[in-house]
């Protein structure tokens, strides 16, 4: 291509040689001898390309797109002989300033390309930017020459995943992480052996699209410490990785560093899922900054009231107009880009219900964006997971438009397991639903248990340790007089609010944590763990740590030694899941295609107590055997006692050649609380019932007797 | 400080010695050196980089280019990388596509 003679300049601007560009793809693309720039706006009247030397305060040239270079609403131009390693680019858009009609064009602003694949300006985490920069977050050009060798997305069946939700910076920013490049993509790569040992096979990265950690940054009124937009749920660019999460960000190599991380994770059998935020942008409401979308085509990109104000279904000032055909295509282009160019295995959509709203804000019965994503050929093997609610009151757990593809963060699973564990009345029947993969929510419309992403904790809310150490949130450090964060935590402090020396309380907390992990990892559906829950990580009762770049969020790796017992409990529970296909069949128990069924018990075998004051539930999973007249082999028995005192559970009788073996009993102190899968301890002969301690769970494995 | 480049053919091996800072401004020089030796169809490309203090994205891109230009059968040796240069190679994963050595031969 380099030597083609038919790709030559036809126009000139000063010393810059130009020719009409290609409309597709949008964004900037390297072409022989130059760079193709393409950008669309439905309402702009003219467009100017603005080019900077890297980091220079003023542009070195501004090139208005000649009239002949506009096709439809797209301005496209090839500029030849650019030193593409050293330039940053932006646009000026001419058009009306008429907020009532939804237009906010402002020629004085230099605007970021919505399709920018790399963005400078925040390349070193937390480094104060030049606030007088006329173009603070600038688009850069990206090479797509990464050597993937034979890598591609792993396509692990959804039913087999154990997801680990982590924040890139939090995972290794703590000094105890002892990595060369703390808080970065490279830092995660250094901890792959840890993830492998734990046994998770998918990491879900909290937002890594470029965001501005200084958005709404302010001093903590209590401590004076700087508070950031730390989590990053506020996108600046949908195609660019967060440069400040890369050790090589200051060298402009965040793309390579992230791709290398993904390649390394894949090499170790670990998928990569991205938490993506398409519901709003970093531009806020009418008082926010004009960075990109607002100045390029406000009326197209945002949901606006009839008066031209911003709808706020996201709780963050604006709402991306996802079902406008133009924005829909941008979302699709972004996801395709991450799947194809970064080999991403799946996506979790923040406040996904917004993606099902019409430009007027009304929920759509058949949202075109969700349908497009579900049937897109590039995304065909990607996992699609919805946070099936939004901040505007739409709650769609169990009813999110799924098209046979979409899974959901099962918020009801989280709430019901919490309420059962802390001992609420009337929870036994609903527990049975949750353990089975929530057939009450997903047993229709051809959805299976893998529609349910099961979690008890996630980045929003308490950590698992705090869930059993705090009755109430303690968010004073967020500087909003403890008003922020959810109040429906369904938590229980086990008798003392916060840290205590009381050995009994601490032992109870450890038991409650293990009960939760055991239920999570045995439940049908797809389990998700929150970073550090396997180590007893605490946020000191803060259930909304979105703004803290400190120990509240950072994983303290000394917990690996201090809470090694809990780590091993979690590791062995994950190993149990991997060892037993019946725990992850992808089909509801007892349905035609299922290789397994489930039998409910209570303290009496074969007879569960579903009454409102029951706090005990047991079940047995059996493997169905084809052609044996309905015979089934018992594989696993679990007894869950959420009553405060010990209860005897009558054990179901096994076939003559089978025997129960003890895998886990959370009322025993470590290391006797759990065994390695396959090395369970045989129960004594003819044991009729098992005494399950108060607030404890027991897991037994049915195996043939060893041959005498 | 700028880049100094010297090129030498040792039989079927192309030796390139780099010193200074390999940033976007001078990556073109490095690229020319690669193109020059590529014409000789070497079996090995040996880059001596102990005098290199820094390598930006542009430098890495030239290494990727070298790999593409010469084909997979040509082995690339990077000799004497240390400090930031070594970090750059490791974090971008390029250390897996080349042989990193402290000395050569």
């Amino acid at each position: 291509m380099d030597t083609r003679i038919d790709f030559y300049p036809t126009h000139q601007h000063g010393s810059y040689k130009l020719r009409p560009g290609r409309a597709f793809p949008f964004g900037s693309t390297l072409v022989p001898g130059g760079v193709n720039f393409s950008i669309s706006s439905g309402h702009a009247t003219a467009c100017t390309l603005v080019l900077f030397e890297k980091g220079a305060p003023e542009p070195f040239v501004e090139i208005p797109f000649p009239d002949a270079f506009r096709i439809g609403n797209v301005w496209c131009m090839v500029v030849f002989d650019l030193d593409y390693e050293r330039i940053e680019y932006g646009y000026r858009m001419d058009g009306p300033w008429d907020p009532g009609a939804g237009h906010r064009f402002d020629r004085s602003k230099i605007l970021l390309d919505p399709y920018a694949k790399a963005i400078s300006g925040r390349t070193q985490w937390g480094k104060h930017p030049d606030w007088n920069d006329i173009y603070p977050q600038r688009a850069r050009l990206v090479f797509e020459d990464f050597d993937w060798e034979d890598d591609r997305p792993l396509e692990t069946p959804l039913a087999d995943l154990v997801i680990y939700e982590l924040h890139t910076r939090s995972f290794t920013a703590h000094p105890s992480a002892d990595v060369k490049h703390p808080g970065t993509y490279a830092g995660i790569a250094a901890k792959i052996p840890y993830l492998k040992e734990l046994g998770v096979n998918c990491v879900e990265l909290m937002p890594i699209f470029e965001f501005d950690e200084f958005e709404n940054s302010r001093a903590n009124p209590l401590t004076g410490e700087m508070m950031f937009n730390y989590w990053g749920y506020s996108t600046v660019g949908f195609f660019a990785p967060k440069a400040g999460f890369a050790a090589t960000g200051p060298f402009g190599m965040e793309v390579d560093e992230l791709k290398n991380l993904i390649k390394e994770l894949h090499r170790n059998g670990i998928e990569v899922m991205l938490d993506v935020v398409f519901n709003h942008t970093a531009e806020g409401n009418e008082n926010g900054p004009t960075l990109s979308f607002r100045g390029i085509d406000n009326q197209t990109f945002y949901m606006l009231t009839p008066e031209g104000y911003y709808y706020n279904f996201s709780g963050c000032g604006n709402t991306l107009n996802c079902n406008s055909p133009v924005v829909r295509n941008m979302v699709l282009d972004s996801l395709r880009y991450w799947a194809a160019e970064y080999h991403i295995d799946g996506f979790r959509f923040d406040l996904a219900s917004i993606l099902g709203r019409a430009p007027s804000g009304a929920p759509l019965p058949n949202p075109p964006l969700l349908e497009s994503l579900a049937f897109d050929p590039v995304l065909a093997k990607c996992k699609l997971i919805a946070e099936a609610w939004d901040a505007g009151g739409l709650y769609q757990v169990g009813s999110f438009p799924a098209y046979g593809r979409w899974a959901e963060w099962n918020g009801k699973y989280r709430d019901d397991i919490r309420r059962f564990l802390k001992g609420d009345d009337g929870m036994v029947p609903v527990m049975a639903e949750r353990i089975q993969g929530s057939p009450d929510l997903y047993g229709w419309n051809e959805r299976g248990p893998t529609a349910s992403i099961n979690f008890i904790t996630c980045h929003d809310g308490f950590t698992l340790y705090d869930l059993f150490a705090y009755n109430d949130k303690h968010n004073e450090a967020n500087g909003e007089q403890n008003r922020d964060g959810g109040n429906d935590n369904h938590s229980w402090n086990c008798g003392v609010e916060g840290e205590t020396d009381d050995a009994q309380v601490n032992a109870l907390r450890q038991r409650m944590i293990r009960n939760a992990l055991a239920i999570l990892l045995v439940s049908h559906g797809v389990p998700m763990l929150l970073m550090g829950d396997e180590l007893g990580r605490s946020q000191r009762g803060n259930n909304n740590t979105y703004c803290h770049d400190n120990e509240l969020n950072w994983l303290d790796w000394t917990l690996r030694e201090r809470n090694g017992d809990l780590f091993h409990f979690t590791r062995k529970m994950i190993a149990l899941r991997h060892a037993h296909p019946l725990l992850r069949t992808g089909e509801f128990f007892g349905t035609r295609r299922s290789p397994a069924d489930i039998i409910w018990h209570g303290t009496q075998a074969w007879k569960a107590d579903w009454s409102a004051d029951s706090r005990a539930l047991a079940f047995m999973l059996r493997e169905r055997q084809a052609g044996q007249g309905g015979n089934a082999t018992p594989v696993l028995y679990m007894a869950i006692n959420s009553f405060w005192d010990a209860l005897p559970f009558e054990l179901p009788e096994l076939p003559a050649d089978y025997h129960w073996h003890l895998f886990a009993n959370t009322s025993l102190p470590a290391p006797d609380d759990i065994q390695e899968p396959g090395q369970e301890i045989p129960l004594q002969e003819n044991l009729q019932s098992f005494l399950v301690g108060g607030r404890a769970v027991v897991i037994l494995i049915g195996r043939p007797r060893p041959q005498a | 400080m700028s880049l100094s480049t010297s090129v030498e053919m040792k039989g079927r091996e192309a030796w390139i010695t780099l010193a200074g800072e390999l940033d976007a401004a001078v990556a073109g020089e490095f690229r020319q050196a690669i193109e020059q030796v590529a014409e000789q169809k070497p079996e090995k490309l040996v880059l001596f980089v102990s005098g290199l203090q820094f390598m930006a994205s542009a430098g890495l891109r030239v290494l990727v280019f070298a790999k593409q230009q010469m084909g997979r059968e040509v082995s690339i040796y990077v000799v004497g990388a240390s400090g930031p240069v070594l970090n750059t190679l490791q974090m971008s994963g390029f250390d897996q596509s080349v042989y990193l050595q402290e000395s050569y031969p």
Side-chain angles (χ1 to χ4, degrees):
Chain A
M1 285 288 276
D2 269 338
T3 52
R4 290 281 296 257
I5 55 162
D6 54 347
F7 204 76
Y8 55 88
T10 57
H11 293 63
Q12 195 136 3
H13 175 86
S15 61
Y16 292 89
K17 295 178 183 139
L18 318 172
R19 70 174 280 132
R22 296 178 180 135
F24 284 115
F26 291 149
S28 60
T29 313
L30 301 177
V31 295
V35 180
N36 186 67
F37 295 95
S38 172
I39 185 167
S40 81
S41 170
H43 301 92
T45 52
C47 176
T48 302
L49 175 68
V50 185
L51 296 174
F52 291 80
E53 283 272 344
K54 201 175 262 184
E58 298 291 333
F60 64 86
V61 65
E62 302 202 12
I63 308 175
F65 283 75
D67 287 343
F69 289 17
R70 179 178 59 77
I71 307 289
N73 290 335
V74 181
W75 282 269
C76 44
M77 167 162 71
V78 173
V79 183
F80 288 88
D81 302 324
L82 287 177
D83 186 355
Y84 35 69
E85 289 279 2
R86 291 166 57 122
I87 65 161
E88 296 165 331
Y89 73 97
Y91 296 100
R92 291 186 198 276
M93 288 287 177
D94 293 276
W97 174 268
D98 184 0
H103 300 310
R104 292 172 181 266
F105 290 98
D106 179 354
R107 201 177 197 291
S108 73
K109 298 279 200 296
I110 303 171
L111 305 165
L112 177 70
D113 181 359
Y115 280 71
K117 294 171 191 158
I119 298 173
S120 66
R122 300 288 185 274
T123 55
Q124 194 173 341
W125 174 272
K127 185 181 167 195
H128 281 260
D130 171 7
W131 297 108
N132 296 317
D133 197 326
I134 57 170
Y135 180 33
Q137 289 174 278
R138 303 179 177 186
R140 291 191 351 238
L141 302 173
V142 159
F143 288 79
E144 270 136 30
D145 56 3
F146 183 76
D147 185 8
W148 284 102
E149 298 176 83
D150 293 327
D151 182 79
R152 59 155 201 187
L154 296 178
E155 299 179 12
T156 308
L158 187 51
D160 292 345
L161 286 192
V162 178
I163 303 172
Y164 187 81
E165 188 196 29
L166 70 84
H167 183 277
T168 299
R169 184 165 166 78
S170 295
F171 193 48
T172 64
H174 197 280
S176 63
D178 195 26
V179 294
K180 205 162 168 189
H181 305 286
T184 64
Y185 305 124
I188 299 176
K191 290 294 187 188
I192 289 175
Y194 174 83
L195 296 170
K196 277 195 85 169
E197 186 187 6
L198 181 59
V200 295
N201 56 12
C202 175
V203 290
E204 181 173 314
L205 304 180
M206 285 168 66
I208 58 140
F209 289 0
E210 183 63 43
F211 63 87
D212 177 8
E213 64 267 30
F214 287 98
E215 183 187 349
N216 296 322
S217 60
R218 60 204 190 281
N220 187 324
L222 303 176
T223 62
E225 190 184 8
M226 186 75 172
M227 295 199 296
F228 292 98
N229 166 31
Y230 179 81
W231 281 350
Y233 287 88
S234 191
T235 308
V236 169
F238 294 106
F239 294 79
K242 175 72 187 145
F245 283 165
T248 54
F251 312 139
M253 286 166 51
E254 65 272 16
V255 170
D256 298 278
E257 188 175 322
L258 177 57
K259 287 178 178 175
N260 185 51
L261 167 64
I262 294 162
K263 187 175 161 186
E264 285 301 309
L265 284 164
H266 282 173
R267 205 196 291 270
N268 286 282
I270 300 172
E271 292 204 338
V272 181
M273 203 172 288
L274 298 186
D275 188 343
V276 293
V277 187
F278 287 107
N279 53 73
H280 72 285
T281 77
E283 294 188 307
N285 63 12
E286 39 288 329
N287 302 317
T290 296
L291 305 172
S292 176
F293 313 96
R294 191 200 309 278
I296 290 169
D297 199 354
N298 188 59
Q299 196 209 60
T300 297
F301 280 112
Y302 292 114
M303 287 190 198
L304 300 173
T305 68
E307 301 76 30
Y309 292 101
Y310 293 87
Y311 276 121
N312 185 14
F313 297 118
S314 66
C316 299
N318 64 52
T319 308
L320 200 67
N321 192 12
C322 286
N323 282 304
S324 129
V326 170
V327 183
R328 198 194 312 158
N329 284 337
M330 181 186 74
V331 173
L332 198 52
D333 286 344
S334 163
L335 294 168
R336 286 169 167 171
Y337 178 71
W338 288 98
E341 194 54 42
Y342 283 84
H343 295 192
I344 294 298
D345 300 275
F347 302 95
R348 176 267 185 190
F349 294 74
D350 187 59
L351 301 184
S353 291
I354 285 181
L355 311 188
R357 286 184 186 264
S360 66
L364 292 161
N366 200 24
L369 174 58
L370 300 180
E371 186 183 32
S372 300
L373 295 176
F375 294 102
D376 186 76
V378 177
L379 304 176
K381 302 285 194 289
C382 282
K383 282 88 178 173
L384 301 177
I385 299 172
E387 185 184 34
W389 53 85
D390 69 20
L394 202 50
Y395 190 83
Q396 297 179 303
V397 171
S399 63
F400 191 82
Y403 303 102
R405 277 292 304 281
W406 285 81
E408 297 173 7
W409 266 26
N410 188 344
K412 289 185 177 165
Y413 182 93
R414 173 195 59 204
D415 297 341
D416 290 339
I417 304 290
R418 289 180 176 197
R419 293 181 59 198
F420 174 80
L421 284 172
K422 80 184 174 72
D424 279 8
D425 280 340
M427 296 306 295
V428 168
V430 78
M431 273 300 285
E433 298 288 347
R434 300 297 157 256
I435 286 168
Q436 294 185 77
S438 297
D440 58 335
L441 301 174
Y442 304 114
W444 61 288
N445 202 10
E446 295 292 301
R447 302 179 85 178
T450 53
S452 177
I453 307 299
N454 295 331
F455 66 103
I456 300 173
T457 54
C458 65
H459 68 273
D460 262 324
F462 283 139
T463 66
L464 191 56
Y465 177 87
D466 288 354
L467 186 64
F468 301 113
Y470 295 92
N471 282 349
D472 301 304
K473 67 182 183 187
H474 297 270
N475 295 1
E476 289 78 7
N478 303 350
E480 297 179 51
Q481 288 85 44
N482 205 27
R483 285 190 309 259
D484 64 309
N487 294 313
D488 49 349
N489 298 298
H490 307 298
S491 64
W492 177 48
N493 66 16
C494 296
V496 180
E497 187 76 354
E499 290 303 296
T500 175
D501 294 331
D502 187 316
Q504 272 190 319
V505 170
N506 283 325
L508 177 56
R509 286 176 181 170
Q510 288 299 319
R511 205 152 76 232
M512 295 297 282
I513 291 169
R514 284 163 171 74
N515 296 345
L517 289 167
I519 292 169
L520 176 67
L521 286 157
V522 165
S523 294
H524 243 38
V526 183
M528 182 179 82
L529 294 158
L530 172 64
M531 175 195 88
D533 278 353
E534 75 283 13
L535 300 176
R537 186 174 80 90
S538 171
Q539 293 173 175
R540 294 176 223 153
N542 193 316
N543 76 352
N544 189 29
T545 58
Y546 69 100
C547 53
H548 296 287
D549 185 19
N550 58 31
E551 284 83 357
L552 278 182
N553 275 316
W554 299 344
L555 179 56
D556 178 352
W557 287 83
T558 65
L559 292 169
R560 174 67 185 79
E561 294 307 315
R562 289 186 280 144
N563 290 337
D565 291 338
L566 181 57
F567 174 82
H568 284 294
F569 185 90
T570 316
R571 177 179 68 74
K572 289 171 186 172
M573 281 305 310
I574 294 171
L576 179 80
R577 190 172 183 87
H578 291 316
H580 288 276
L582 287 200
L583 295 174
R584 44 192 170 82
T585 66
E587 303 288 344
F588 287 120
F589 292 114
T591 54
R592 194 171 45 83
R593 286 192 301 257
S594 172
D597 61 19
I598 188 165
I599 310 289
W600 298 100
H601 307 286
T603 49
Q604 287 178 272
W606 312 102
K607 189 164 183 287
D609 178 359
W610 304 109
S611 67
D613 53 1
S614 166
R615 285 172 180 75
L617 181 63
F619 60 89
M620 178 167 70
L621 303 187
R622 302 190 308 181
E623 185 171 9
R624 289 171 164 182
Q625 287 164 336
Q628 298 204 0
N631 279 352
T633 312
V635 170
L636 182 145
Y637 171 89
M638 184 171 190
I640 311 173
N641 178 13
S642 206
F643 185 56
W644 60 269
D645 203 358
L647 293 172
F649 282 67
E650 185 189 353
L651 295 178
E653 201 173 325
L654 285 175
D657 52 340
Y658 269 67
H659 198 72
W660 286 122
H661 297 66
L662 179 63
F663 172 70
N665 180 356
T666 61
S667 54
L668 296 178
D672 297 326
D673 54 345
I674 194 164
Q675 309 302 318
E676 294 284 353
Q679 296 171 23
E680 300 87 358
I681 299 164
L683 294 188
Q684 67 190 81
E685 291 288 335
N686 305 319
L687 190 69
Q688 305 285 309
S689 84
F690 197 107
L691 189 66
V692 179
R695 300 188 185 277
V697 307
V698 164
I699 298 173
L700 307 178
I701 300 297
R703 279 214 307 266
R705 287 168 200 281
Q707 299 299 316
Chain B
M1 185 170 178
S2 63
L3 182 76
S4 84
T5 313
S6 72
V7 180
E8 203 178 347
M9 286 301 295
K10 294 266 189 181
R12 305 300 322 145
E13 300 185 1
W15 290 18
I16 301 180
T17 306
L18 299 169
E21 295 185 348
L22 182 46
D23 62 12
V26 294
E29 269 177 57
F30 180 30
R31 186 178 159 123
Q32 277 166 13
I34 297 278
E35 282 173 339
Q36 186 190 330
V37 301
E39 284 172 16
Q40 313 287 323
K41 305 258 181 272
E43 289 165 1
K44 273 186 190 174
L45 172 64
V46 188
L47 300 168
F48 295 90
V49 298
S50 61
L52 202 59
Q53 275 113 50
F54 169 76
M55 179 163 67
S57 166
L60 184 84
R61 296 271 87 82
V62 178
L63 282 179
V64 175
F65 168 76
K67 188 87 183 161
Q68 292 169 349
Q69 178 94 356
M70 301 192 179
R72 287 198 171 211
E73 61 279 8
V74 176
S75 357
I76 300 181
Y77 289 76
V78 177
V79 183
S82 62
V85 174
L86 185 61
N87 280 348
T88 299
L89 291 171
Q90 287 172 338
M91 284 183 291
S92 58
F94 200 72
D95 59 325
Q96 293 155 19
S97 310
V98 301
Y99 297 97
L100 283 179
Q101 293 186 190
E102 285 180 17
S103 61
Y104 189 89

